[in-house]
Amino acid sequence: MSALFPTYARWDIAPEKGLGAKLIDGNGKEYLDFISGIAVCNLGHCHPKVISAVEQQLNKLWHVSNLFQIKGQEEVAQILVEHSDGDYVFFCNSGAEANEAAIKLARKATGKHHIVSLRNSFHGRTLGSMAATGQDKIHQGFGPLLTEFTYVEMNDVAALQNAVTEKTAAVMVEVIQGEGGIRLMNEQYAEALKQVCDHYGCLLIIDEVQTGIGRTGTTFAYKQLNLSPDIVTVAKGLGNGFPVGALIGKESLKEAFSPGSHGSTFGGNPLAMAAAKAVLQEVFKPEMLQSVQEKGEWFKAELEQKLSKFKIVEEVRGKGFMIGIACETEVAPIISACIEEGLLVLPAGPKVLRILPPLVTTQNELERASEILTTVFSKVEQKQSVNS
Ligand SMILES: *Cc1c(COP(=O)(O)O)cnc(C)c1O
């Protein structure tokens, strides 16, 4: 009997140790972890630099609150603004909180409350971020929702142009939808997004909670589309497993977040900042990002070559180390078979297999994963042809 609310249908695996892309359970079974705690442990498990930074802070000071000067916050904020289009940072503890802050900031800065977001998006589970999320299954039973959201299909320029008006405070998007199926925004749409936001003077909010912190081979994924967001939200990979989130915003928004306007008790505490600083110093190294681009390209091409012969595989897509395999059938049995073979992957919607290796995954590990996936897909296809 478990005393936990059954909000998660958990797998029957209890990991006890991790190192790099390896995860070991209580029975000593080893897995190749291509989930990374859902795009969180971008530097792999137990990265020595992150351990050492947190250990040192652990023995100095844990928490003082935002009544005080916190040097770590200044340092991490500086790194984030240097590598993004923003000028100021607000720290919180999760992706949903960062998006909640983004919605509040957009409202306060513009004096408007209509927000356009995308179908199949995912922005979190709080009332605001849930309302921003364009998926009925996430809303089920939790109504009434905030009413000021209009959902439009990604890459449909006409729908975007119709939805945004003078009353729109912001457009909120992921440039690669993570939970929604590894769907990529195309260049025409990104261009239209820029034009529409400029024309109506509304803010562009880019949710980089999953795509940010090097995941797609650049510091932030929006850079690959030449966008210049007013607000960027990050969380998952920022602390490599230490809970931390952040909102990065442009200069023009400074007044709206004046003293007393928004806050968080834990946000940006010294322990979280020690983890985040160590993470950013590693992940934002040009050679790290370069290697994610190169290995990601290789891995995607390898999967295309090995898997496209299977009838159930529709498409292999993604950027860097954020890859989706879109299938004709539900992927749950494929994921179970991968786990059996020692490879951990996850779904993104019912029919897409999502692969999120740590950014430090080695070539050998990528090759091993490709072998396992090829074996699993051929077994699943054989079974289906026997059944039909
Ligand atoms: C995971 C995720 C969130 C929510 O983050 P939490 O830390 O779970 O609140 C928001 N947006 C995107 C794109 C995500 O992938």
Side-chain angles (χ1 to χ4, degrees):
M1 270 285 281
S2 169
L4 297 172
F5 268 112
T7 47
Y8 294 96
R10 293 167 195 272
W11 294 330
D12 195 15
I13 303 172
E16 285 199 347
K17 269 196 303 192
L19 189 65
K22 247 186 242 138
L23 208 53
I24 300 155
D25 75 7
N27 304 318
K29 178 164 176 174
E30 245 183 57
Y31 297 89
L32 203 45
D33 180 8
F34 275 26
I35 297 175
S36 307
I38 318 187
V40 167
C41 303
N42 284 5
L43 288 172
H45 298 287
C46 291
H47 190 279
K49 295 233 169 100
V50 185
I51 291 181
S52 151
V54 174
E55 254 174 11
Q56 282 179 33
Q57 190 60 47
L58 210 48
N59 291 303
K60 268 201 272 183
L61 185 67
W62 288 25
H63 178 86
V64 291
S65 87
N66 287 305
L67 296 169
F68 296 87
Q69 302 289 327
I70 298 173
K71 186 164 157 256
Q73 276 191 30
E74 301 288 345
E75 292 171 337
V76 176
Q78 195 56 41
I79 302 173
L80 288 172
V81 300
E82 269 166 22
H83 289 88
S84 70
D85 289 47
D87 304 292
Y88 295 101
V89 178
F90 172 83
F91 287 107
C92 53
N93 309 287
S94 68
E97 272 184 48
N99 287 331
E100 202 71 28
I103 294 165
K104 284 182 68 177
L105 180 56
R107 284 181 169 206
K108 192 138 186 286
T110 62
K112 302 171 188 175
H113 54 255
H114 175 243
I115 295 180
V116 174
S117 64
L118 302 181
R119 294 223 173 89
N120 288 307
S121 58
F122 184 82
H123 299 296
R125 303 286 194 157
T126 58
L127 279 168
S129 64
M130 173 180 72
T133 296
Q135 295 191 55
D136 289 342
K137 71 165 198 240
I138 305 280
H139 300 159
Q140 273 304 313
F142 293 115
L145 300 177
L146 292 180
T147 51
E148 27 281 285
F149 289 87
T150 302
Y151 311 111
V152 295
E153 205 65 47
M154 185 165 70
N155 295 335
D156 181 341
V157 170
L160 176 71
Q161 287 165 340
N162 284 334
V164 178
T165 70
E166 280 85 8
K167 290 188 175 155
T168 305
V171 181
M172 184 168 182
V173 300
E174 298 154 88
V175 298
I176 301 178
Q177 296 184 324
E179 307 297 311
I182 315 292
R183 295 168 206 254
L184 282 73
M185 181 180 291
N186 66 36
E187 282 170 23
Q188 300 94 288
Y189 194 78
E191 187 54 39
L193 198 52
K194 236 184 318 197
Q195 281 172 9
V196 167
C197 289
D198 281 350
H199 184 262
Y200 290 101
C202 69
L203 302 176
L204 176 58
I205 303 173
I206 301 190
D207 177 343
E208 293 257 6
V209 170
Q210 190 158 160
T211 50
I213 321 297
R215 173 59 46 195
T216 70
T218 46
T219 51
F220 302 97
Y222 77 77
K223 296 207 165 173
Q224 297 177 46
L225 287 169
N226 290 318
L227 289 165
S228 179
D230 300 284
I231 297 175
V232 176
T233 54
V234 287
K236 290 194 166 90
L238 183 56
N240 212 57
F242 205 105
V244 56
L247 173 155
I248 311 165
K250 282 193 173 168
E251 170 81 40
S252 59
L253 303 168
K254 190 180 184 187
E255 294 300 305
F257 263 2
S258 55
S261 58
H262 191 55
S264 164
T265 299
F266 291 132
N269 97 0
L271 281 174
M273 292 301 100
K277 185 179 162 194
V279 165
L280 294 177
Q281 283 176 340
E282 281 304 298
V283 171
F284 286 1
K285 279 183 183 158
E287 57 272 28
M288 171 70 81
L289 297 169
Q290 181 78 24
S291 97
V292 175
Q293 283 170 27
E294 284 167 9
K295 284 183 190 165
E297 276 305 306
W298 179 87
F299 191 50
K300 197 174 78 168
E302 165 79 3
L303 293 179
E304 262 162 5
Q305 201 219 326
K306 293 275 164 67
L307 304 181
S308 57
K309 64 174 181 246
F310 299 114
K311 277 197 285 303
I312 51 172
V313 173
E314 278 178 352
E315 190 187 15
V316 179
R317 59 188 182 227
K319 283 265 166 73
F321 273 165
M322 184 170 184
I323 293 175
I325 304 173
C327 298
E328 271 176 14
T329 58
E330 304 225 330
V331 293
I334 300 171
I335 289 172
S336 303
C338 285
I339 292 176
E340 200 111 311
E341 299 282 335
L343 175 67
L344 304 176
V345 289
L346 77 166
K351 293 183 172 178
V352 180
L353 199 76
R354 180 168 31 154
I355 307 178
L356 303 165
L359 310 185
V360 297
T361 302
T362 63
Q363 181 67 21
N364 273 343
E365 288 166 333
L366 293 176
E367 284 169 18
R368 177 81 195 109
S370 161
E371 277 167 27
I372 293 174
L373 284 163
T374 310
T375 307
V376 164
F377 271 98
S378 66
K379 277 188 193 162
V380 169
E381 190 136 295
Q382 259 169 22
K383 218 188 240 166
Q384 286 190 346
S385 61
V386 170
N387 290 346
S388 62

